[in-house]
């Protein structure tokens, strides 16, 4: 099988593990129905949008996921499994997935449903503009919701985006080299990376500042980037710490989208687009060099590189390399992505119903975790990336499925 065949077979496997739910199809993780972007229905539809961008049809899977999300949008919060409005954990992810699908296939009903969901989120924010218990992060907090809101230019969404942006500015903590953000007020340590900390919050503020013409937000984001640049300086290479202060028994650094240079670099790339400066290019180069120095995807020791997916593993790094290839035309990046894809290809699990993957947890018995269908830790995200790689090898100008949503956050 080649890459496109593997991607097609992965969506066949995703379809085989779908369950019938109200409105369409759903997917389980650990026996629990999820509709979110990280592990559930919204993420499956986003993977289908990536496949569609690459010319790969996903028929049953896309139709079932779309129908489920439309049903949720029309029936409101009482119909869903999401606990909050978060980008990867809740309603904001539903809007992102529907908007991405609409953009790829011209689905007016999906676009309308995405706008409806965004409007509902915005109204809830405006009803509680000063909630001190809110999370700040990209996964479930204000930063992630902000990224969904600025993709909608309606008056209510813009108003709510201003509220969230101001709330994030007020949550910043001054440090010796710039600004930092905790995942939530009172959290015992900082996680500087993209998913739960400074890199993701600063990225959301920079993106919002550019979209809403607020230079003050870009300036705050720049102070966050300065703190990250300083925190990443080490004698043996650049790497942002996983946690500050370090957590006992845990790794000092991570290399994925969530906590490592794969995610952090996205802030530096965005700031370089807004205001090109040598320091941002230096930081971008340092992030890519850190990924090279990590020797991924080699598993140097148990627990070092046991993840194949978009959040914490190989597919996330590969997605970044495809973004940089399209931005720069550097074919070495495409070749590097191909090397990572070959490793993922070799680790595929062939079943009677298609192809999937298992991440590894070296402390578990057995260490192979159950395969997941979702976007950030499962087959939908991996297959979407493989389909995109296949297409870029022959059609370098193929748009990303999130082109209209400023895709560099993913």
């Amino acid at each position: 099988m080649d890459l496109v065949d593997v991607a097609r077979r992965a969506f066949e496997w995703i379809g085989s593990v779908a369950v019938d739910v109200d409105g369409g199809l759903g997917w389980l993780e650990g026996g629990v129905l999820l509709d979110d972007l990280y592990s559930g229905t919204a993420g499956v539809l986003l993977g289908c949008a990536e496949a569609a961008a690459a010319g790969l049809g996903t028929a049953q899977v896309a139709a079932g996921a779309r129908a489920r999300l439309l049903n949720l949008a029309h029936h409101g919060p009482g119909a869903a499994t999401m606990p909050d409005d978060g980008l990867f954990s809740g309603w904001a992810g539903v809007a992102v997935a529907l908007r991405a699908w609409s953009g790829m296939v011209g689905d007016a009903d999906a676009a309308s449903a995405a706008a409806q969901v965004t409007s509902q989120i915005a109204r809830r924010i405006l009803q509680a503009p000063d909630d001190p218990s809110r999370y700040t992060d990209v996964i479930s907090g204000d930063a992630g919701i902000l990224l969904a809101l600025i993709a909608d230019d309606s008056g209510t969404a813009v108003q709510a985006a201003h509220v969230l942006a101001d709330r994030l500015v007020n949550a910043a903590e001054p440090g010796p080299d710039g600004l930092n953000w905790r995942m939530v007020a009172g959290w015992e340590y900082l996680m500087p990376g993209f998913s739960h900390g400074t890199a993701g919050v600063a990225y959301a503020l920079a993106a919002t500042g550019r979209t809403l013409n607020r230079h003050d937000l870009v300036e705050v984001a720049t102070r966050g980037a300065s703190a990250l640049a300083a925190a990443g300086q080490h004698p043996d290479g650049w790497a942002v710490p996983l946690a500050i202060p370090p957590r006992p028994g845990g790794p000092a650094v991570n290399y994925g989208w969530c906590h490592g240079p794969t995610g952090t670099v996205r802030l530096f790339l965005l700031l370089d687009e807004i205001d090109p400066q040598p320091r941002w290019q230096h930081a971008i180069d340092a992030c890519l060099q850190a990924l090279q120095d990590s020797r991924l995807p080699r598993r140097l020791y148990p627990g070092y590189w046991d993840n194949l997916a978009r959040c914490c593993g190989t597919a996330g790094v590969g997605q970044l390399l495809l973004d940089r290839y399209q931005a720069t035309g550097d074919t070495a990046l495409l070749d590097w992505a191909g090397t990572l894809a070959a490793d993922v290809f070799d680790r595929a699990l062939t079943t009677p119903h298609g192809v999937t993957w298992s991440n590894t947890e070296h402390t578990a018995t057995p260490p192979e975790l159950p395969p997941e269908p979702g976007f950030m830790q499962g087959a939908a995200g991996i297959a979407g990336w493989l389909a995109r790689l296949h297409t870029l090898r022959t059609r370098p100008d193929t748009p990303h499925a999130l082109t209209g949503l400023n895709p560099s956050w993913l």
Side-chain angles (χ1 to χ4, degrees), residues 372-386:
E372 296 182 25
F375 192 80
M376 293 301 283
Q377 290 289 7
I382 296 172
W385 164 58
L386 293 178

Side-chain angles (χ1 to χ4, degrees), residues 107-121:
D107 187 337
D109 289 340
S112 175
Q116 183 176 341
V117 171
T118 304
S119 176
Q120 292 167 349
I121 294 170

Side-chain angles (χ1 to χ4, degrees), residues 40-63:
T41 313
V44 169
L45 187 61
L46 187 59
C48 291
E50 285 197 326
L56 178 64
T58 56
Q60 173 201 3
V61 172

